[in-house]
């Protein structure tokens, strides 16, 4: 089992940057593929980015590709989401999620239903 805690959210002006962190408990973080999702008010939760347990394979949603970068540090049990060139439409609660994937070093998923564990979320607000 793993517990996740996001941090790094806040209020930023359009065009600015934030880096979200998601710290995981436990000793097997490197066995989990990780993902970031977000939910804006009145909207469903959407996929943002995902990374394999090795860190070598990543994928981002079209809406953030080229602006957001997902990465991980398995030695620190942490996954990051670097967000640049932020837009007001990026305003949302951002969640990290973990999927046990010990069978594959390249696996990642864009599907929320695939993830076993979720953090509580961190608010990101981008002002225009």
């Amino acid at each position: 089992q793993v517990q996740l805690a996001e941090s790094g959210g806040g209020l930023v002006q359009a065009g600015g940057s934030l880096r979200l962190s998601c710290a995981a408990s436990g000793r097997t973080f490197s066995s989990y593929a990780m993902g970031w999702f977000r939910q804006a008010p009145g909207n469903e939760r959407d996929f943002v980015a995902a990374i394999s347990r090795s860190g070598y394979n990543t994928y981002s949603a079209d809406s953030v590709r080229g602006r957001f970068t997902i990465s991980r540090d398995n030695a620190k049990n942490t996954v990051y989401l670097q967000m640049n060139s932020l837009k007001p439409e990026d305003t949302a609660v951002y969640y990290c999620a973990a999927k046990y994937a010990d069978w594959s070093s390249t696996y990642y998923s864009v599907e929320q239903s695939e993830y076993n564990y979720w953090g509580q979320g961190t608010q990101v607000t981008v002002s225009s």
Side-chain angles (χ1 to χ4, degrees), residues 23-45:
S25 65
R27 296 175 293 177
T28 60
F29 177 70
S30 61
S31 297
Y32 288 82
M34 301 297 294
W36 284 97
F37 294 80
R38 66 186 182 185
Q39 186 169 21
N43 290 359
E44 295 183 350
R45 191 161 55 186

Side-chain angles (χ1 to χ4, degrees), residues 24-96:
S25 65
R27 296 175 293 177
T28 60
F29 177 70
S30 61
S31 297
Y32 288 82
M34 301 297 294
W36 284 97
F37 294 80
R38 66 186 182 185
Q39 186 169 21
N43 290 359
E44 295 183 350
R45 191 161 55 186
D46 293 327
F47 169 76
V48 176
I51 189 167
S52 64
R53 65 181 184 90
S54 68
Y56 292 132
N57 303 86
T58 63
Y59 185 77
S60 300
D62 290 346
S63 59
V64 306
R65 194 170 299 138
R67 300 188 298 122
F68 292 10
T69 302
I70 188 171
S71 63
R72 66 189 295 161
D73 185 338
N74 285 344
K76 296 183 178 180
N77 284 11
T78 302
V79 63
Y80 304 98
L81 185 68
Q82 178 66 45
M83 305 187 296
N84 299 328
S85 302
L86 282 160
K87 304 175 181 180
E89 52 263 43
D90 295 318
T91 295
V93 177
Y94 284 72
Y95 299 89
C96 69

